[in-house]
Amino acid sequence: MNRGVMIAGTNSGSGKTTISLGIMGALSKRLKVVPFKVGPDYIDPAYHKLVSKNPSYNLDIHMLGEERLASLFYEKTAGRDISIVEGVMGLFDGKDSLGFASSAHVAKILGIPVILVVDAGGMSRSASAMVKGYKDFDPELNLAGVIFNRVGGDEHFKLLKECIEKDTGLCALGYLPKDEKLVIPERPMGLMPPEEMENLEEGLERLNYLIEKHIDLAKIFKIAESAHIPVLPNECSKSADTGGKKLKIAVAMDDAFCFYYNASLELFEEKGACLVPFSPLKDAELPKGISGLYIGGGFPENFGRQLSQNNSMKNSIFYAINAGLPTYAEGGGLMYLAKTVYDRGGKAYPMVGIFDCETVMTDRLQNFGYVTAEVVKDNVLAPFGTIINGQEFHYSKINGNLNNASYIIRKPEQNRKWQCGYTYKNCLASYMHIDFYAYPKLLDNFLDKCRQINDKE
């Protein structure tokens, strides 16, 4: 039996991330837990992995489509004891006024029950009115229980529980008390990454203690058993002809470059590639014997001095790309391949210099949210005419004349379009992030290019 449950919030800031982490961590002490995150966020899944000791996977309808999303969930859930899905924003908040790509939308596709997190600070029976509205709003949604956050203590919870169960018929599964130490700091890109958090282990231990003390984990497990997770056929082959040997693909992984979708990375390996992590911050040069390079997003602007001073690594990447090494860079990876990065204080840091432009950090989001790219020029991922769904989230902007764009990016609901997806030889760099699990053919194209280069050597 596949068991699964979604932890969703009434709104952003309700406490769903904290409660999701606590439930994942507590259940992982005795069960095989596989975590998921609704939406394109990178940082929450990093915390999921930390507490569950298992990779977390993004469930994003815009990027994956409904069929691939369901396929990913079923594939990664198989063989585990329970799946815990953290929702996004408020339960019914999505891409449009119909709630497309919302937590509720995803829960119905997957056939899993939902537990609603309610910030009950300063409330008693008013919580019943709120919860009843969520329960009645979509009769097709299996809203199975409630967890309260920021509760004043046992007496406060007893009152909330009595009201909720009497007024709505839903089960009150427990609560977290008010505790400022449980708040994870945020910055412009979302939560603070776990590797930058001080005293994180101590905080997570306290969270697990409070979850086990105040929340009924046995009932949550029972609710998860009511899931009706669809059994899906394996729709696409992941194997690839590697010619008898695995391609080595270097992947930038350190504090500056840490934004990757786990399903994407696993697909590389399932298609016969060997991922070789390296650090642009600390390593002297690219790994030996590689046939391709992948530089994901992250926070290069926060590590400008270290990146700029590592001249041997910058030179290694510059000469490799100029020699034709197939390279794909997203977000922060694009910034790193530019000539210069300017931080928010106006300090300039020389970067790799593949692209004759500067990236400048600003105080406002330049592009945010879901986008669609039309490929108008062949690149290492896709031929002319390909349509790709992705997402952008960046405060930096490009200064310079780049005439080698291979993407026309559109944000249809805002009637906007712009160029991106810059190319140089076998290199493609873009602000748009994609999930390769949604587009296995794009990964095939990239690995084929890597194989062609490898065969020439």
Side-chain angles (χ1 to χ4, degrees):
M1 174 185 288
N2 287 324
R3 305 175 185 89
V5 65
M6 176 182 289
I7 310 298
T10 55
N11 56 280
S12 293
S14 62
K16 65 179 176 296
T17 296
T18 301
I19 288 173
S20 295
L21 291 175
I23 292 172
M24 290 173 187
L27 290 178
S28 292
K29 292 180 180 181
R30 48 191 178 275
L31 298 171
K32 293 180 180 178
V33 175
V34 55
F36 295 87
K37 170 65 181 179
V38 177
D41 179 81
Y42 289 104
I43 298 177
D44 287 355
Y47 281 95
H48 295 178
K49 182 177 181 179
L50 182 67
V51 300
S52 71
K53 305 299 186 291
N54 285 312
S56 178
Y57 304 96
N58 291 76
L59 300 170
D60 191 288
I61 295 174
H62 171 78
M63 291 198 287
L64 293 171
E66 292 188 2
E67 290 185 5
R68 291 296 287 161
L69 180 143
S71 177
L72 173 63
F73 185 74
Y74 181 73
E75 174 190 327
K76 303 305 181 182
T77 296
R80 305 298 178 89
D81 293 319
I82 187 172
S83 299
I84 306 292
V85 181
E86 180 190 344
V88 63
M89 299 187 292
L91 177 57
F92 298 105
D93 299 325
K95 182 180 176 182
D96 56 25
S97 62
L98 298 177
F100 180 87
S102 67
S103 300
H105 187 181
V106 172
K108 289 191 291 184
I109 290 171
L110 301 180
I112 58 175
V114 175
I115 294 172
L116 187 66
V117 175
V118 177
D119 184 342
M123 284 201 297
S124 57
R125 198 184 181 201
S126 293
S128 292
M130 179 186 293
V131 172
K132 185 171 176 57
Y134 280 82
K135 179 186 177 185
D136 295 344
F137 187 78
D138 185 352
E140 296 180 0
L141 182 70
N142 180 9
L143 187 56
V146 179
I147 294 175
F148 295 105
N149 189 32
R150 295 182 63 242
V151 172
D154 285 342
E155 292 304 315
H156 186 196
F157 173 67
K158 287 178 183 178
L159 178 58
L160 289 165
K161 178 180 172 66
E162 180 181 350
C163 292
I164 287 293
E165 295 186 347
K166 177 184 66 176
D167 296 332
T168 73
L170 292 176
C171 180
L173 298 165
Y175 73 95
L176 272 187
K178 295 178 183 178
D179 191 332
E180 296 301 322
K181 293 181 180 179
L182 296 180
V183 177
I184 302 172
E186 296 189 23
R187 65 183 182 197
M189 296 291 280
L191 296 179
M192 186 77 73
E195 58 269 17
E196 298 182 36
M197 283 280 291
E198 296 182 2
N199 304 317
L200 180 57
E201 185 175 343
E202 178 182 338
L204 291 175
E205 287 180 0
R206 174 163 178 75
L207 175 59
N208 284 346
Y209 165 76
L210 291 173
I211 289 286
E212 292 176 339
K213 180 179 180 181
H214 297 298
I215 292 180
D216 193 333
L217 296 173
K219 281 189 178 178
I220 291 176
F221 187 82
K222 188 70 174 177
I223 288 171
E225 289 183 327
S226 70
H228 298 286
I229 298 171
V231 177
L232 301 171
N234 188 4
E235 296 178 357
C236 75
S237 173
K238 297 175 185 173
S239 62
D241 180 8
T242 61
K245 82 177 177 181
K246 289 191 173 185
L247 295 169
K248 292 183 179 180
I249 308 298
V251 184
M253 287 188 178
D254 57 21
D255 289 349
F257 302 99
C258 50
F259 289 174
Y260 298 94
Y261 294 122
N262 285 310
S264 288
L265 297 180
E266 291 178 7
L267 193 60
F268 269 90
E269 296 175 333
E270 288 161 359
K271 285 182 172 291
C274 175
L275 297 180
V276 185
F278 76 99
S279 172
L281 286 170
K282 299 177 181 178
D283 294 338
E285 60 183 12
L286 288 170
K288 301 293 185 183
I290 61 172
S291 300
L293 173 61
Y294 183 12
I295 309 176
F299 306 100
E301 70 278 7
N302 292 342
F303 300 91
R305 180 179 59 82
Q306 298 97 308
L307 290 170
S308 66
Q309 290 178 351
N310 193 349
N311 289 313
S312 62
M313 175 57 76
K314 291 191 299 179
N315 289 337
S316 177
I317 292 173
F318 181 86
Y319 291 123
I321 292 176
N322 269 284
L325 182 71
T327 300
Y328 177 56
E330 290 181 332
L334 165 61
M335 297 171 67
Y336 183 51
L337 296 183
K339 185 170 59 177
T340 309
V341 166
Y342 285 86
D343 67 13
R344 284 186 174 82
K347 176 71 174 177
Y349 297 103
M351 294 292 153
V352 175
I354 289 296
F355 297 102
D356 187 19
C357 66
E358 303 166 342
T359 58
V360 181
M361 293 301 297
T362 71
D363 292 326
R364 58 181 292 272
L365 279 166
Q366 297 300 305
N367 280 311
F368 166 68
Y370 294 130
V371 294
T372 297
E374 177 187 358
V375 179
V376 294
K377 175 184 175 183
D378 292 353
N379 58 52
V380 292
L381 292 189
F384 175 88
T386 303
I387 303 297
I388 308 170
N389 287 333
Q391 58 96 0
E392 289 193 17
F393 191 119
H394 58 94
Y395 284 77
S396 66
K397 63 180 181 180
I398 292 177
N399 284 345
N401 295 318
L402 291 175
N403 299 316
N404 54 347
S406 64
Y407 291 164
I408 297 294
I409 306 286
R410 288 184 171 84
K411 202 168 179 63
E413 64 273 17
Q414 296 181 5
N415 197 28
R416 294 175 55 214
K417 65 179 181 180
W418 60 92
Q419 293 184 329
C420 200
Y422 303 109
T423 60
Y424 175 78
K425 295 190 175 181
N426 290 319
C427 174
L428 168 66
S430 173
Y431 271 125
M432 184 178 76
H433 297 261
I434 65 172
D435 190 337
F436 280 112
Y437 191 91
Y439 300 103
K441 180 58 179 174
L442 301 188
L443 185 51
D444 288 338
N445 294 339
F446 182 73
L447 294 178
D448 285 345
K449 180 64 72 172
C450 294
R451 197 168 295 111
Q452 291 169 18
I453 300 300
N454 191 64
D455 290 344
K456 292 179 181 179
E457 297 178 353

